[in-house]
Amino acid sequence: MESIAELEKRFARIPIEHARKALQNGLLNVSAIYHDGLVGMGRLVGDGAMYWYLQEIIVLPQFQRMGIGTMIVHHLVDYAKENSVTGKFTTIGGVSAKGKEPFYEKMGFEIISNGIKKMIEI
C-alpha cells in the first residue's frame, strides 16, 4: 500500500497542464469526496464505443478497504456497458498497480501479462 507521500511524489511529476488536459479529454472522471476533500478518483478513457481503459484508480491509503475503489470501478464499468454500441461484447482494460491485482479479480477482471481486462456481454 502506498503512503500519501509516495502518491504525492509519483503524481507530482505530472505537469499540471498535462493533468488538466488528460482530465478534460477523458470519457468519464469519477471523484470520491469526504468532508470536502478528494479521497479517491478514477478515469475512463478509450474510443467511447468498443475499447475502454481504466486509468488512475486511486484511493488514499487511509480510505482503502471501505468500498470506495469498488464503487469507482463499478461506476466506470457501468458507464462503459451503457455506452457500448459495438454489438455483443466490449472490452475494458487497464493496468493494475503491483499488488492490487486481487482487487480487480474480485470484480471479474482477468489478470494478463500487461495489465487487466474484462470482456462484457452487452
Side-chain angles (χ1 to χ4, degrees):
M1 177 183 335
E2 287 183 296
S3 69
I4 293 174
E6 290 168 328
L7 286 170
E8 287 174 345
K9 189 191 298 183
R10 182 158 49 104
F11 287 100
R13 292 180 286 193
I14 299 171
I16 192 69
E17 285 306 314
H18 287 153
R20 182 175 287 121
K21 188 168 184 175
L23 289 169
Q24 290 170 345
N25 290 338
L27 298 172
L28 181 66
N29 303 311
V30 176
S31 299
I33 308 294
Y34 180 74
H35 290 296
D36 296 326
L38 181 67
V39 300
M41 66 164 286
R43 299 188 319 122
L44 189 65
V45 299
D47 62 19
M50 206 160 101
Y51 297 105
W52 310 84
Y53 299 93
L54 301 177
Q55 296 290 307
E56 289 93 38
I57 309 300
I58 302 168
V59 176
L60 292 176
Q62 65 268 36
F63 290 93
Q64 291 178 3
R65 301 198 175 279
M66 296 180 177
I68 296 168
T70 300
M71 286 189 290
I72 290 170
V73 171
H74 282 303
H75 191 73
L76 297 172
V77 168
D78 288 346
Y79 180 90
K81 283 183 193 177
E82 292 167 10
N83 289 280
S84 291
V85 292
T86 58
K88 289 193 74 127
F89 293 95
T90 193
T91 303
I92 301 175
V95 177
S96 173
K98 191 166 186 79
K100 299 295 184 183
E101 297 88 353
F103 168 77
Y104 293 100
E105 284 180 307
K106 285 190 295 189
M107 290 183 281
F109 284 85
E110 175 186 351
I111 305 305
I112 57 177
S113 62
N114 61 346
I116 58 172
K117 78 171 185 175
K118 183 174 190 171
M119 296 291 291
I120 297 176
E121 187 171 352
I122 303 301

